[in-house]
Amino acid sequence: MEAAARELETSLTCRPDDYASHYNLGNLFMSRRDPARAVAAFETSIRLRPDVIPPRINASLAYNLLGRNREAEESLRRVLALDPGSLPANLNLGMLLGELGRLPEAAAAFRAALKADPTSAPAAYNLGVLVARDRLEEAVSLCRRAAEL
């Protein structure tokens, strides 16, 4: 893993203007459980290519690990401004909002994720869990669907 990090950092020295190198470095830092350095790399990637979605999604995960949930939500909402039907953005937004106790908003995000991809087992399952309190039949149906998927 150290050799991969050195190789990636060398490529950044050669191509500091390459958003993908910064994105990959952010992913490497995430795999090493270093979200602070991952955020810095993802933010650089985003500055270089604000139109590319994956660095914003991964930055939101790193922000969340750092307890910077406002920034995590902002990052996902920017993705949804670029692509309202983004499955990963809607799914991660649902998870974040659920974690924050904003359950109706989380359910809406999971519904948007299912609309984007009706075969998303995580979206079906998490929505099923959220609606179980007051819509048991729908919850059972969603959880069955998730299990089948």
Side-chain angles (χ1 to χ4, degrees):
M1 194 64 102
E2 286 300 316
R6 280 193 300 280
E7 183 178 327
L8 210 53
E9 289 176 10
T10 300
S11 72
L12 287 175
T13 303
C14 298
R15 292 285 317 269
D17 62 335
D18 182 18
Y19 86 93
S21 294
H22 293 278
Y23 171 67
N24 290 332
L25 187 60
N27 289 333
L28 177 67
F29 289 138
M30 285 293 283
S31 73
R32 291 179 162 193
R33 294 182 171 91
D34 189 349
R37 290 177 74 189
V39 162
F42 291 137
E43 287 176 347
T44 299
S45 180
I46 291 165
R47 272 193 306 278
L48 292 169
R49 287 291 306 273
D51 61 315
V52 177
I53 289 173
R56 290 184 184 279
I57 290 174
N58 289 10
S60 74
L61 300 173
Y63 288 134
N64 177 257
L65 288 172
L66 294 170
R68 295 165 55 182
N69 291 323
R70 182 184 54 76
E71 291 163 287
E73 182 178 351
E74 287 172 5
S75 188
L76 292 169
R77 297 228 184 251
R78 285 188 185 120
V79 169
L80 292 171
L82 294 169
D83 179 10
S86 170
L87 172 65
N90 280 302
L91 186 59
N92 284 307
L93 182 61
M95 297 298 290
L96 176 65
L97 295 171
E99 180 182 321
L100 297 174
R102 295 162 53 188
L103 303 184
E105 291 175 86
F110 289 131
R111 286 187 193 286
L114 272 175
K115 184 176 178 185
D117 181 359
T119 66
S120 173
Y125 174 76
N126 283 291
L127 180 58
V129 169
L130 283 180
V131 302
R133 288 187 183 139
D134 54 356
R135 292 190 299 278
L136 191 55
E137 273 187 51
E138 182 183 8
V140 169
S141 174
L142 286 163
C143 289
R144 272 198 188 113
R145 180 174 169 190
E148 290 168 1
L149 292 169

